[in-house]
Amino acid sequence: MRCPNCGKADDKVIESRTMANGESIRRRRECLSCGFRFTSYERIEEKPFMVVKRDGRRQPFDRDKLAKGIERALEKRPVSTSMVEQIVTEIEDEAYLRGKLAREIATSELGELTLTRLNQVDKVAYIRFASVYKHFNSLEEFITEVNSLGGAKSE
């Protein structure tokens, strides 16, 4: 560890303490060249959880992006903000469980998790999200999706 006072890389550890429930270590160090004492911290560097896009690109999972999509679908619906937060947390937890080994999940799987949860909470929000997620190209596709919910009757 390089001394912040003199810049030499020769030091000794005086004391070590486990911090944050064992997720980091705080070390008090003393420079052997100038005697300056300083603190360093060690943390496990985890590989970020990734989302695999339809075209194969990978990007870090973004909880805020998921929340915005769900909030848009639930806009002006009788669902509290605490419920929205709970939905996002449940989807995030399930995504981490499903992608645990590879540390990644496909957007298609993440979208299906979201659709399943929205279907349980609010059918209108489900249709709003599905119309964007499934890229409806015609009114017939939209009507077929609504009919699959049992909320509309064909004539």
Side-chain angles (χ1 to χ4, degrees):
M1 184 72 52
R2 188 170 308 282
C3 173
N5 189 46
C6 71
K8 300 273 183 346
D10 197 19
D11 68 73
K12 70 177 178 180
V13 175
I14 301 169
E15 172 191 11
S16 291
R17 284 192 184 167
T18 302
M19 308 278 295
N21 298 326
E23 293 186 22
S24 67
I25 297 175
R26 176 184 177 267
R27 298 193 194 278
R28 284 294 293 158
R29 297 175 179 270
E30 182 177 1
C31 178
L32 297 175
S33 298
C34 69
F36 184 75
R37 289 185 175 195
F38 58 99
T39 303
S40 66
Y41 295 90
E42 291 180 26
R43 278 184 275 302
I44 295 171
E45 186 176 341
E46 290 189 25
K47 184 176 154 188
F49 191 74
M50 304 298 280
V51 175
V52 182
K53 307 293 267 180
R54 293 175 201 243
D55 64 3
R57 289 180 298 126
R58 285 171 168 69
Q59 67 183 46
F61 174 81
D62 186 352
R63 179 187 169 90
D64 292 336
K65 188 174 180 180
L66 175 63
K68 284 177 187 167
I70 291 170
E71 285 168 358
R72 249 183 263 120
L74 287 165
E75 193 173 337
K76 297 183 182 179
R77 300 297 303 153
V79 178
S80 68
T81 51
S82 63
M83 182 62 164
V84 171
E85 187 65 29
Q86 181 182 340
I87 292 167
V88 172
T89 300
E90 289 171 1
I91 293 168
E92 180 182 28
D93 290 348
E94 183 63 26
Y96 278 108
L97 283 173
R98 289 189 184 190
K100 190 174 185 177
L101 291 177
R103 303 266 322 138
E104 65 184 30
I105 189 168
T107 54
S108 58
E109 199 170 352
L110 193 56
E112 291 301 324
L113 283 172
T114 305
L115 283 172
T116 300
R117 192 65 185 101
L118 286 175
N119 190 20
Q120 296 165 351
V121 174
D122 188 284
K123 304 292 189 214
V124 172
Y126 168 87
I127 290 296
R128 286 178 178 171
F129 191 86
S131 67
V132 174
Y133 172 70
K134 293 185 177 185
H135 306 289
F136 293 155
N137 292 317
S138 68
L139 183 58
E140 287 76 28
E141 289 177 287
F142 190 85
I143 290 169
T144 301
E145 191 68 31
V146 171
N147 286 339
S148 73
L149 291 175
K153 296 178 182 172
S154 300
E155 294 180 31

